[in-house]
Amino acid sequence: MSINAEFIIYGLIFVAVLLLVEGIYLTVFGKSISLNSKVNRRLEMLEKGGRREQVLDKLRKEMSQHLKANSIPLYSILARKAQRANIAFSPMQLIMLMVGLGALAFVGMTVGTSTSPPVRAALSVAMGIGSVYVWVNNKAKKRISMLEEQLPDAIELMVRSLRVGHPFTATLAIVAKEIPDPLGTEMGVIADESTYGRDVGEALKDMAERIEIQDLRFLAVAVTIQQQSGGNLAEILHGLSKVIRSRFKLFRQVKAITAEAQWSGSFLSGFPLLALIAINLAKPDYYDEVMETPYFVPAALVVAAFLIVNVFVMKILVNIKV
């Protein structure tokens, strides 16, 4: 029993396909689409000469296009994550990207391996779909994390703007200008929508439901209540900012406390596989005698099942909700 070099080639092809997704994305939409960009995408589109209503229409279309495609078979699995990641590719473009990457993976396996065509076809389909799914999932996680981190600063900026006398719509425009993406563009869209007559509370509520962040729901409720009942919105938002920061601080403390347990869980999950690879590299014929026994395959399946259960159990143990 020895490790086939083809498995290493499969892994390298998958990594290459995964990197290619990001490269295509940045090439098509520019560097401002990256979450690491210092200038938010809405401002860059306006600076390039786009009219305000055209930019608003394009951004609103991107923000809602994926949930509208839930009826496409199998795409519904990806739609919610693509919505939260605010992927600018349309659903059809993502599907075409999966097909194209799968074809490239097939060509790569044809050149680099001697696997049979049916196996290459199955693996290329898995790599095409899997690479896009992993990429979208990572984008969604990173974007949600950045939104949660930016929100307290944005609310404090709103508080300062309200205290010096700016109306709330002007406050949103200031936030959209001063805060980088991803929150900057989101607030810019709401500011533009309110300029064209949409209710601010309703726009904030729709954003909170689309992104699925609890703190944004609190912000939407606070603004809606103030609009209906009156009151000092600056003080309300100041209190909300303190609550969000305290919650975020508690989350970081929990994350620090569970870091050792998370590392232990990852180590316990990955060590058997690393040990198997090390044994096969050191002594390729180590399992040859027992492979012929009738108990080898059932025992291997039981061990694999325990490893999979271990991954989920360890993840549940260290996933503490705040």
Side-chain angles (χ1 to χ4, degrees), residues 153-311:
D153 293 333
I155 294 177
E156 287 186 356
L157 181 56
M158 292 179 190
V159 172
R160 291 195 295 270
S161 299
L162 289 170
R163 284 176 174 170
V164 298
H166 292 295
F168 189 64
T169 52
T171 296
L172 291 174
I174 293 172
V175 172
K177 184 178 180 180
E178 298 296 331
I179 299 294
D181 273 343
L183 189 59
T185 293
E186 292 282 353
M187 289 298 180
V189 169
I190 294 176
D192 289 343
E193 286 179 338
S194 65
T195 301
Y196 289 112
R198 189 181 186 189
D199 181 72
V200 177
E202 179 186 343
L204 285 169
K205 182 180 177 182
D206 285 349
M207 181 179 73
E209 294 300 326
R210 173 168 46 81
I211 302 177
E212 299 179 1
I213 294 180
Q214 188 64 36
D215 294 333
L216 278 174
R217 293 190 178 100
F218 294 153
L219 175 62
V221 169
V223 173
T224 301
I225 291 175
Q226 192 275 340
Q227 287 178 333
Q228 295 176 352
S229 305
N232 191 333
L233 182 58
E235 293 303 318
I236 295 172
L237 295 183
H238 179 64
L240 177 60
S241 174
K242 291 173 64 176
V243 170
I244 294 174
R245 283 197 182 279
S246 298
R247 181 172 173 269
F248 197 72
K249 181 179 179 181
L250 177 61
F251 174 77
R252 287 292 178 89
Q253 289 175 342
V254 171
K255 188 176 181 180
I257 293 170
T258 59
E260 182 180 355
Q262 289 177 342
W263 190 92
S264 299
S266 300
F267 177 79
L268 291 174
S269 300
F271 178 76
L273 298 177
L274 295 175
L276 178 63
I277 293 172
I279 290 171
N280 277 275
L281 290 175
K283 192 175 182 182
D285 59 344
Y286 185 80
Y287 292 104
D288 287 352
E289 293 183 5
V290 296
M291 282 180 64
E292 304 300 328
T293 64
Y295 303 106
F296 181 78
V297 174
L301 292 175
V302 170
V303 171
F306 275 119
L307 285 175
I308 294 172
V309 171
N310 171 72
V311 172

Side-chain angles (χ1 to χ4, degrees), residues 28-142:
V28 173
F29 296 102
K31 291 183 178 180
S32 65
I33 198 72
S34 172
L35 295 177
N36 297 321
S37 177
K38 298 300 181 183
V39 179
N40 73 57
R41 186 163 178 245
R42 170 179 166 271
L43 290 179
E44 184 174 272
M45 292 170 70
L46 290 172
E47 288 174 359
K48 287 182 177 180
R51 290 192 302 166
R52 192 176 182 183
E53 56 270 22
Q54 289 178 334
V55 172
L56 175 61
D57 184 63
K58 180 178 177 59
L59 292 174
R60 289 184 65 184
K61 183 180 178 182
E62 290 177 358
M63 290 173 178
S64 61
Q65 61 186 345
H66 295 287
L67 285 184
K68 292 179 179 178
N70 263 333
S71 58
I72 299 177
L74 299 179
Y75 187 78
S76 57
I77 301 173
L78 188 65
R80 186 164 294 279
K81 292 184 180 296
Q83 188 75 28
R84 299 185 78 191
N86 197 33
I87 300 299
F89 281 133
S90 68
M92 191 54 62
Q93 287 173 331
L94 275 180
I95 293 172
M96 292 174 62
L97 186 62
M98 292 178 188
V99 174
L101 293 173
L104 287 175
F106 184 84
V107 172
M109 284 185 285
T110 301
V111 174
T113 68
S114 57
T115 313
S116 61
V119 175
R120 289 203 303 269
L123 287 174
S124 63
V125 170
M127 286 185 183
I129 297 174
S131 60
V132 173
Y133 182 86
V134 170
W135 176 73
V136 170
N137 186 52
N138 289 337
K139 283 280 186 183
K141 287 182 178 179
K142 182 177 180 181

Side-chain angles (χ1 to χ4, degrees), residues 258 262 314-321:
T258 59
Q262 289 177 342
M314 294 302 296
K315 186 174 182 180
I316 292 171
L317 289 175
V318 299
N319 186 23
I320 300 175
K321 299 294 183 181

